[in-house]
Structures are given as structure tokens and as C-alpha cells.
Amino acid sequence: MNRIPLLEGEEVYKLIPQRNPIVMVDTFFCADEGGAETGLHVQSGNIFCQGDVLSEPGLIEHVAQSAAAFAGYLPYTKGETPKLGFIGEVKKFKITRLPKIGEFLHTRLKVLGEAAGVTLIAAETISEYELLATCQMKIFIKED
């Protein structure tokens, strides 16, 4: 697992089309053709927090924006603007525990396949060394 970020805070905006208050990725660690690693500091002002935890929709949105950051990384390296993406399907979503305010989420994405503008990824989200959530997600990137 990579621990040295390439981009942090508002620098991540270079990779994703989302803006506050909906931004669910604040750290980008690495990417290659096989996947990427991202992170999120769960803060009390997060619109997906309910009580003292990040809700299930917040975890799903974090994974989706992690995939968007992954998709935006190659255009970013070429000086281009990231494209808009959409969640096509979420499968096998399993939560072992909801993260609490103050925790740092580290998410690993692995590309399982690509065809006709659709990317299938597997994701796992951890906090410290505890696995919090896993899923598969189909992501569509809108072409110009």
C-alpha cells in the first residue's frame, strides 16, 4: 500500500469533476494501467456523515470518486480536463464497519476489465489495517 501522496486537498480537483461539498476524495497516491490508490479524511462537516460515522452512500460515493480520480489521472498527466463519469452498477458491496469521523480511508482500485467505454473495478477500503468495505463497480466515462 502506497503511503506517499501524489496529490492532496484541492490538488485532487485536477482529477475529478466534483467540487465541495460533494468531494469524497482528498488524497491521490498512485495509478497505473491496473488500478489506483486514493484516500479520504472523514470530517464532521462531510454531507454523508450521519451522527459520528460516514454513511453507506458516502462509502459508495468515495469509491466512485476514487474511480473518477483514477480515470482523470491520465488526462491530468497530459494537461487535459477530467471527463464526467457515472456509476453504472454496484455489485457485491459489503461493509464490515462504517468509518467514524476522524478516520482516514485508504482505497485500492483494481481494474478487472474494460469494454465499450465501461470499466469494471474491484475496490477495497481500509482504515489503518482494518478492511471496512469491498465492492465491484461499473464506471462509464462520458466522451465529448
Side-chain angles (χ1 to χ4, degrees):
M1 182 172 295
N2 200 328
R3 296 273 181 201
I4 301 170
L6 292 175
L7 301 168
E8 291 182 281
E10 290 187 9
E11 288 184 307
V12 175
Y13 292 3
K14 297 173 185 175
L15 307 180
I16 60 175
Q18 293 83 5
R19 295 296 178 261
N20 279 325
I22 198 87
V23 175
M24 295 298 294
V25 173
D26 61 16
T27 309
F28 188 83
F29 291 102
C30 62
D32 61 26
E33 63 280 346
E37 293 183 30
T38 67
L40 174 69
H41 296 86
V42 180
Q43 298 179 2
S44 61
N46 188 304
I47 64 171
F48 288 105
C49 284
Q50 296 176 341
D52 67 343
V53 297
L54 182 66
S55 67
E56 183 176 305
L59 275 173
I60 292 171
E61 185 62 25
H62 168 66
V63 173
Q65 288 189 30
S66 295
F70 172 49
Y73 185 68
L74 182 59
Y76 163 74
T77 62
K78 296 178 179 180
E80 300 170 359
T81 303
K83 296 178 180 177
L84 190 60
F86 302 95
I87 301 170
E89 179 180 32
V90 178
K91 293 182 1 180
K92 301 179 183 179
F93 188 68
K94 182 179 177 183
I95 297 174
T96 55
R97 178 176 67 78
L98 291 173
K100 295 179 181 171
I101 291 171
E103 287 190 73
F104 181 75
L105 307 182
H106 195 122
T107 297
R108 285 186 237 172
L109 305 175
K110 180 180 178 184
V111 175
L112 300 178
E114 294 179 272
V118 179
T119 302
L120 176 62
I121 61 162
E124 65 178 20
T125 299
I126 65 167
S127 176
E128 290 294 319
Y129 295 99
E130 181 184 3
L131 182 64
L132 300 183
T134 59
C135 75
Q136 288 183 358
M137 189 175 286
K138 286 183 183 175
I139 305 294
F140 298 87
I141 303 299
K142 182 180 177 188
E143 295 300 321
D144 295 331

